[in-house]
């Protein structure tokens, strides 16, 4: 069995991502997973923005009579 000098180093949980964090210790698979998580979050943010824009437009239309 090979000795792993990095075995005792703590690793960040995979689901957590901080903007600007060091990516050098992540594998290609981990980077792909992070990209997928961030793309889902972007889609969620765009949906929330669209809902708020629609609500604002409806309110504007109602109060302009």
């Amino acid at each position: 069995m090979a000795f792993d000098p990095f075995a005792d180093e703590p690793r960040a949980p995979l689901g957590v991502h901080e903007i600007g964090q060091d990516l050098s210790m992540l594998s290609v698979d981990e980077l792909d997973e992070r990209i997928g998580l961030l793309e889902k979050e972007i889609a969620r943010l765009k949906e929330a923005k669209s809902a708020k824009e629609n609500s604002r437009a409806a309110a504007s239309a109602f109060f302009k009579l």
Side-chain angles (χ1 to χ4, degrees):
M1 188 166 173
F3 175 73
D4 184 359
F6 301 109
D8 293 336
E9 291 185 15
R11 301 241 350 192
L14 192 54
V16 177
H17 183 80
E18 293 180 23
I19 303 299
Q21 80 180 79
D22 179 23
L23 303 175
S24 64
M25 296 299 291
L26 297 175
S27 70
V28 171
D29 289 337
E30 290 171 323
L31 289 169
D32 284 340
E33 188 166 339
R34 298 273 175 112
I35 290 168
L37 289 171
L38 290 170
E39 287 173 341
K40 287 178 186 176
E41 183 64 7
I42 289 168
R44 188 177 76 90
L45 289 166
K46 286 181 177 181
E47 287 175 18
K49 179 184 174 193
S50 178
K52 288 184 180 273
E53 288 171 340
N54 291 339
S55 178
R56 178 189 282 173
S60 291
F62 177 78
F63 287 110
K64 285 188 181 176
L65 299 173

